[in-house]
Amino acid sequence: MGYYDIDDILSDATKFPCRFNYSIPGLGYLEGNVGNPIQKNAKIELPLWLARVLAIIGANADEDSEDALPFLELMTPDMLSTRVMNAIKSNPVSLDVHSINSHFYALATKWATLFNDALLVKILNVMILERSQEINNHAASVSIDSMVKNDPGMFLLTLDESEKQLYKDSHISCKEMKQWMIRR
Amino acid sequence: MDIDIDDILADLDRDTTAVDHTFTSQGNDITVLGNDEPNPEKAEVPRLSPVKDFDDLTTHWRNERMCPELLPYPHLLMARMLRRVQEQMEHIECLSMGFLDDESNNSAQNIANKLPLLCMEADLERLKFVLRSYIRCRLFKIDKQSLYLIQISQTGDLTVPLEELLSKQEIEYHQRHSAILLKLLNSAILRHMPPELQAIDDNDGSVKMVEEPELDSFVFIYVKGPDYPHKQDPMLEVNEEGQRYYPVTIQELKEEVELTIGGIYVMRYSVIRDLLKDRKVILI
């Protein structure tokens, strides 16, 4: 997750639902009506790079008060709702991660670090292990004849961006290994 | 009754091999530039030889390729290697000049003499490939960690000084490359930014701009054991099955792991960093 990491930048642009804890003048353009103040309890979607900072920093001038209310409150997004969690728990392999969010792991990791969510980490660990086995199966099945296009199959369309990278790397290494073995 | 005479035999063996060593090293190494070993011990240190140096170079190369951080540059080893490449090139040149003179001789002998020359050339190419790949791998890492290297050399919290970490040419590359990069970024984007956003090594923002090497990434290691098997290694311990191992602790899990000699493990780099520095393990 470096500063110049394109995937990191893309995943940070994902919008999350939040609720404002204050009425702030001039910020109406976040809601779409320029020039008006933003209302307290207004629900809007903000990109994660903005929401993350605003959810930490409090509005109160005196920093020493511990329970200073931050500008906004992050609400649980759809991709981490109980429905999705149950789907993961039941069968991680058949889950269409790509349709939930194309940067699912990156975002879930950020969310878990933000809220110290041990349960989420546990679920993700099981999920990535099970899915990695399936990815390995698909990556290792290499057809030697490069003319025959490998049918991508349904599973590969459900991969998230980081899983795609994993699949690509392991597939290429399997393929090159095989090519090296059969040549001479 | 058995009398154990292994040590006496070993003594005899050492005498003969010692003679061998002096014999081989006479021809090849006239100028000995010194040893890379941190603490050479008189009786145990094998003499410098081109073969051992090449082995060392291969190990350095392999470690550098797999390691997440930049490893210290083996100055003496590289100096020896580069000198030998130069000498061998001149040697081959001389030999091929000789062939030109002998053109009039019978051709059968000429063909027979060409095989060693071919071997020498192929061998030289092989060595040069390893050297090139090693240096290019280091340059790639220097590119990636350029800001980090600047930062740690400024704050002075380096474990090894920059002169030891990089070679002279690498230092020059690092300085000039980062200057060029900075100039490009400055003239393209940064001068349009407000002054407080113009720094390229700002670590206080929401995302750190200086990319540190990922010391926690996983590497494959082979536990080689100490260089000299006879010597007592204070870090080695023996487990119930009589195998010798290095105990290491994984900080996050508070878990102790036994790295038995000859074993292959997947381990976090930060855990085995010191063992790698002492050449007890190698990366594969």
Side-chain angles (χ1 to χ4, degrees), chain B residues 245-260:
Chain B
Y245 69 93
Y246 296 103
V248 291
T249 319
I250 302 169
Q251 289 294 333
E252 292 155 5
L253 303 175
K254 305 241 183 327
E255 190 179 303
E256 187 126 322
V257 184
E258 299 177 357
L259 303 176
T260 38

Side-chain angles (χ1 to χ4, degrees), chain B:
Chain B
M1 201 170 100
D2 284 347
I3 303 170
D4 196 4
I5 57 164
D6 276 354
D7 50 339
I8 303 173
L9 286 177
D11 247 7
L12 283 171
D13 267 354
R14 207 168 302 143
D15 284 348
T16 48
T17 46
V19 172
D20 245 347
H21 265 303
T22 46
F23 179 70
T24 48
S25 60
Q26 260 174 4
N28 293 323
D29 254 314
I30 310 138
T31 50
V32 176
L33 279 166
N35 204 328
D36 274 338
E37 310 290 332
N39 186 15
E41 227 176 79
K42 271 267 161 59
E44 298 281 1
V45 172
R47 316 280 160 110
L48 284 172
S49 76
V51 178
K52 175 149 190 320
D53 276 354
F54 183 72
D55 277 351
D56 274 356
L57 180 69
T58 332
T59 314
H60 276 294
W61 175 47
R62 233 183 283 165
N63 286 350
E64 191 70 62
R65 300 255 318 186
M66 304 320 293
C67 179
E69 70 166 345
L70 197 65
L71 293 168
Y73 183 80
H75 288 273
L76 295 173
L77 176 69
M78 286 300 271
R80 285 201 301 271
M81 277 329 227
L82 292 175
R83 183 172 50 82
R84 275 192 204 119
V85 168
Q86 195 64 36
E87 280 173 9
Q88 186 72 350
M89 258 157 64
E90 281 163 15
H91 185 58
I92 291 174
E93 195 88 346
C94 289
L95 279 183
S96 48
M97 296 280 256
F99 282 127
L100 287 179
D101 293 344
D102 290 356
E103 209 92 57
S104 51
N105 282 12
N106 55 342
S107 56
Q109 201 191 346
N110 248 346
I111 290 168
N113 279 344
K114 264 184 185 142
L115 185 60
L117 195 61
L118 269 177
C119 290
M120 277 184 225
E121 270 169 8
D123 193 42
L124 189 64
E125 280 311 311
R126 209 177 71 156
L127 170 61
K128 270 157 78 179
F129 169 77
V130 175
L131 284 172
R132 270 198 294 256
S133 171
Y134 178 59
I135 291 169
R136 213 172 317 150
C137 170
R138 289 180 62 88
L139 289 182
F140 172 72
K141 282 193 193 174
I142 293 171
D143 271 358
K144 233 175 88 179
Q145 304 175 8
S146 133
L147 286 174
Y148 174 71
L149 285 174
I150 293 178
Q151 195 192 33
I152 55 174
S153 63
Q154 274 171 358
T155 50
D157 49 351
L158 274 170
T159 41
V160 265
L162 204 63
E163 288 76 37
E164 240 170 85
L165 193 66
L166 304 175
S167 72
K168 233 184 265 154
Q169 291 90 341
E170 282 166 349
I171 291 178
E172 198 190 338
Y173 172 81
H174 174 221
Q175 281 166 351
R176 289 183 35 194
H177 182 265
S178 45
I180 291 171
L181 191 67
L182 184 63
K183 204 171 145 199
L184 171 71
L185 288 176
N186 259 333
S187 58
I189 311 159
L190 289 177
R191 66 194 167 94
H192 304 298
M193 301 291 254
E196 68 270 20
L197 293 181
Q198 279 182 358
I200 58 159
D201 51 359
D202 185 7
N203 267 350
D204 304 328
S206 57
V207 186
K208 279 191 166 190
M209 291 184 85
V210 177
E211 208 166 310
E212 293 175 16
E214 284 178 53
L215 295 183
D216 276 342
S217 57
F218 283 96
V219 287
F220 282 86
I221 58 167
Y222 169 71
V223 187
K224 189 168 64 106
D227 278 348
Y228 316 114
H230 317 296
K231 218 173 70 182
Q232 275 300 319
D233 193 334
M235 285 179 67
L236 267 180
E237 287 176 27
V238 180
N239 65 4
E240 301 92 64
E241 282 134 48
Q243 285 168 318
R244 299 182 303 159
Y245 69 93
Y246 296 103
V248 291
T249 319
I250 302 169
Q251 289 294 333
E252 292 155 5
L253 303 175
K254 305 241 183 327
E255 190 179 303
E256 187 126 322
V257 184
E258 299 177 357
L259 303 176
T260 38
I261 286 184
I264 290 174
Y265 298 84
V266 186
M267 197 52 73
R268 280 197 191 280
Y269 176 70
S270 53
V271 176
I272 53 109
R273 198 174 173 193
D274 292 333
L275 286 175
L276 184 74
K277 290 234 160 81
D278 297 342
R279 303 157 163 239
K280 306 266 167 53
V281 301
I282 54 176
L283 305 185
I284 49 178

Side-chain angles (χ1 to χ4, degrees), chain A residues 68-142:
Chain A
L69 208 55
F71 280 115
L72 50 78
E73 193 180 311
L74 274 167
M75 297 189 301
T76 314
D78 277 345
M79 57 166 269
L80 295 171
S81 59
T82 352
R83 203 163 50 84
V84 177
M85 286 301 123
N86 285 336
I88 294 173
K89 274 185 228 163
S90 63
N91 190 356
V93 176
S94 65
L95 187 71
D96 188 355
V97 184
H98 195 267
S99 70
I100 297 173
N101 196 303
S102 55
H103 294 97
F104 182 80
Y105 288 109
L107 289 174
T109 320
K110 281 170 209 251
W111 187 269
T113 21
L114 213 57
F115 291 99
N116 269 331
D117 196 340
L119 188 68
L120 174 63
V121 172
K122 219 178 208 168
I123 294 172
L124 283 179
N125 267 341
V126 176
M127 174 182 175
I128 200 160
L129 259 179
E130 296 235 346
R131 287 180 69 87
S132 299
Q133 285 173 11
E134 193 63 22
I135 290 171
N136 187 38
N137 286 348
H138 279 265
S141 62
V142 185

